[in-house]
Amino acid sequence: MNLIVNGDAESGPGGSADPVADVNGWDVWEGAPALVAYSLGGGYPTASDPGPAARGSRFFSGGNSPRTTLVQDVALPAHGRTGRQAVDAGRVRYTLAGWLGGYAAQEDGARLSVEFRDGRGTPVALSVLGPVTAAERRSRTALLERTASAAVPPGARSARVLLVFTRSGGTSNDGYADAVSLTLTAIAKPSGGHQ
């Protein structure tokens, strides 16, 4: 189950290249993102450009701000197979994933990170994806998948997800992101007996 709300830019206002003040599920810390429709054209990613196979109708862009930052604070499950007891025993893995990209040969980009925090809000681990460079995209407009997976650090109780779009030139912030997810999986206990 994806712990990130509206990681696919499908919910709430948007659909054009115009920046929006609010994004469902996210806090806008700086700048103003745009939730752009794949059908918009005009140089923006389309359904035929590289990107998620199961893409919806929209993706995130940085709008026209030099830097746009979206934040989401996620409470980790208290109980169950990925709850606190399992986390503290080192038996829960997380996977952070997202499709990140940009426009043509420009170096505008998107960075996705997750910072795990303990019960006092102190950071205990950080994982960062992106940005995807123009060279990695072969100087074409595209979104490429990036993932990171590791054990959730014992003591972690929440996760802060950051989506940062940075403009390197031009007037539009053409850092793009879609299909952003944070998932937890339980690791089976080692079986007893002889090795």
Side-chain angles (χ1 to χ4, degrees):
M1 184 182 94
N2 187 3
L3 297 179
I4 297 174
V5 176
N6 194 25
D8 54 8
E10 296 299 310
S11 167
S16 73
D18 296 330
V20 295
D22 297 301
V23 180
N24 286 5
W26 298 84
D27 291 327
V28 180
W29 270 14
E30 62 182 326
L35 280 59
V36 183
Y38 280 106
S39 60
L40 187 65
Y44 285 101
T46 67
S48 58
D49 287 314
R55 73 188 87 189
S57 64
R58 305 191 306 194
F59 59 91
F60 295 101
S61 102
N64 49 26
S65 308
R67 185 175 155 110
T68 294
T69 303
L70 300 178
V71 182
Q72 196 167 137
D73 286 315
V74 177
L76 300 182
H79 307 290
R81 296 189 60 220
T82 57
R84 292 174 180 172
Q85 225 174 348
V87 164
D88 294 349
R91 293 203 315 272
V92 179
R93 285 185 72 78
Y94 72 88
T95 300
L96 179 70
W99 288 78
L100 308 175
Y103 171 72
Q106 290 185 5
E107 289 295 352
D108 297 9
R111 191 180 78 231
L112 173 65
S113 64
V114 63
E115 180 182 81
F116 289 94
R117 297 175 166 203
D118 66 16
R120 293 183 303 281
T122 305
V124 290
L126 175 69
S127 187
V128 181
L129 302 177
V132 170
T133 65
E136 289 171 315
R137 292 184 279 104
R138 299 189 177 141
S139 293
R140 65 179 290 188
T141 299
L143 290 95
L144 304 180
E145 187 176 28
R146 293 290 181 263
T147 63
S149 186
V152 177
R157 295 296 177 259
S158 67
R160 170 163 284 177
V161 178
L162 275 168
L163 196 48
V164 181
F165 304 89
T166 305
R167 183 176 75 200
S168 66
T171 52
S172 292
N173 182 334
D174 290 308
Y176 307 136
D178 199 1
V180 174
S181 66
L182 176 64
T183 54
L184 303 180
T185 50
I187 302 167
K189 285 183 193 172
S191 54
H194 298 290
Q195 295 299 324

